[in-house]
Amino acid sequence: MYVLCFMETKEPDEIWLIQFYAPWCSFCKQLDPVWHKIGSELRSLGSPVRVGKSDATANTALAKEFKVRNYPAILMLKNNVKYNYPGSRTKDGILDFADRVSGPLVRSLSSTRLFQHAINRHDVIVVYVGATSELKGNLTAAAEELIVHTYFFSASREVLPKELTLTSLPAVLLFKDGTHFIYDKEQDGELKSWIKRERFPNVFLIDSYTLYAMGESGNSSTPLTA
């Protein structure tokens, strides 16, 4: 675990998971043991992600550079791009974010077994099917922003279940709640906006972030459970 100012010594290819905190912040104090567990687990897994924390009240210039407004603020810095963590402050949630953002923007699913593993492991995934195309470029561009929320994959048609019907390729599919949705440019509009609207499971535990994110996405009809 590193207490930062890391910018003075950071190498260009390093990936950092950073917590900005304030000494008086009670939520930061609650997160502290979780943060240490996250650092230990990532090290034990051999992850390339380095974990650190910075007192935003002492390192004000660094906090200002990263536009820290609330505490604790969690972000990942990869290839000099900042990714803000938008989820609940839990160990599993933060570890999933670290795995998702530190890896490729669009991951390859090379077998039916890997596809099934992704479906079973994640509530929502987005899958591109087909060869290189303008649509795949649009998906990659969308992933640059939305990777903080969900996983993006690419696969050949043979990897997907045989009962799944695709009338044409290339295609983008979003899997959630045991079913799938196929992107249609004419009906759905911009790809990134469609993913933003559809990425919420139909039923999930609500928290303040989820409520805010749904409002930002324009998705107001998803049933919720407390």
Side-chain angles (χ1 to χ4, degrees), residues 19-30:
Q19 177 205 161
F20 285 93
Y21 69 96
W24 45 261
C25 169
S26 60
F27 294 110
C28 301
K29 293 175 182 177
Q30 293 173 19

Side-chain angles (χ1 to χ4, degrees), residues 116-131:
Q116 197 59 52
H117 175 75
I119 288 288
N120 293 338
R121 183 179 177 190
H122 307 299
D123 292 333
V124 179
I125 66 170
V126 180
V127 181
Y128 174 85
V129 185

Side-chain angles (χ1 to χ4, degrees), residues 17 37-39 41-42 45 85 90-100 121 151:
L17 180 67
K37 290 178 182 178
I38 289 168
E41 188 156 333
L42 288 173
L45 292 171
Y85 173 62
T90 62
K91 180 171 76 77
D92 289 345
I94 297 169
L95 284 171
D96 190 60
F97 168 80
D99 174 68
R100 191 165 62 247
R121 183 179 177 190
Y151 284 87

Side-chain angles (χ1 to χ4, degrees), residues 17-209:
L17 180 67
I18 310 160
Q19 177 205 161
F20 285 93
Y21 69 96
W24 45 261
C25 169
S26 60
F27 294 110
C28 301
K29 293 175 182 177
Q30 293 173 19
L31 180 62
D32 199 51
V34 175
W35 198 252
H36 282 276
K37 290 178 182 178
I38 289 168
S40 297
E41 188 156 333
L42 288 173
R43 282 196 302 273
S44 68
L45 292 171
S47 170
V49 177
R50 305 180 74 179
V51 178
K53 57 190 296 189
S54 177
D55 181 349
T57 65
N59 300 315
T60 54
L62 189 63
K64 184 177 180 180
E65 179 180 349
F66 287 108
K67 299 179 181 179
V68 173
R69 297 184 178 91
N70 301 297
Y71 308 116
I74 298 170
L75 60 90
M76 179 167 283
L77 192 65
K78 174 186 173 185
N79 297 329
N80 291 323
V81 176
K82 181 187 74 166
Y83 298 88
N84 290 312
Y85 173 62
S88 58
R89 272 47 177 168
T90 62
K91 180 171 76 77
D92 289 345
I94 297 169
L95 284 171
D96 190 60
F97 168 80
D99 174 68
R100 191 165 62 247
V101 178
S102 65
L105 284 175
V106 180
R107 305 179 185 217
S108 176
L109 295 174
S110 57
S111 68
T112 302
R113 182 182 61 82
L114 288 176
F115 170 80
Q116 197 59 52
H117 175 75
I119 288 288
N120 293 338
R121 183 179 177 190
H122 307 299
D123 292 333
V124 179
I125 66 170
V126 180
V127 181
Y128 174 85
V129 185
T132 301
S133 67
E134 181 181 356
L135 182 61
K136 187 172 186 180
N138 292 341
L139 182 80
T140 302
E144 289 177 356
E145 176 183 338
L146 301 179
I147 192 69
V148 298
H149 301 296
T150 192
Y151 284 87
F152 290 79
F153 296 97
S154 65
S156 66
R157 177 63 187 89
E158 292 72 27
V159 166
L160 302 183
K162 293 180 179 179
E163 62 271 18
L164 193 155
T165 301
L166 288 176
T167 57
S168 64
L169 295 177
V172 173
L173 297 88
L174 187 145
F175 293 85
K176 66 176 182 179
D177 302 318
T179 188
H180 67 275
F181 302 84
I182 302 174
Y183 171 67
D184 183 319
K185 184 176 181 179
E186 290 187 5
Q187 293 184 9
D188 300 321
E190 183 196 23
L191 177 61
K192 183 167 68 174
S193 298
W194 176 74
I195 296 170
K196 283 183 176 181
R197 292 193 304 270
E198 295 293 342
R199 68 178 180 83
F200 297 95
N202 284 333
V203 180
F204 49 86
L205 291 175
I206 189 68
D207 57 24
S208 58
Y209 161 70

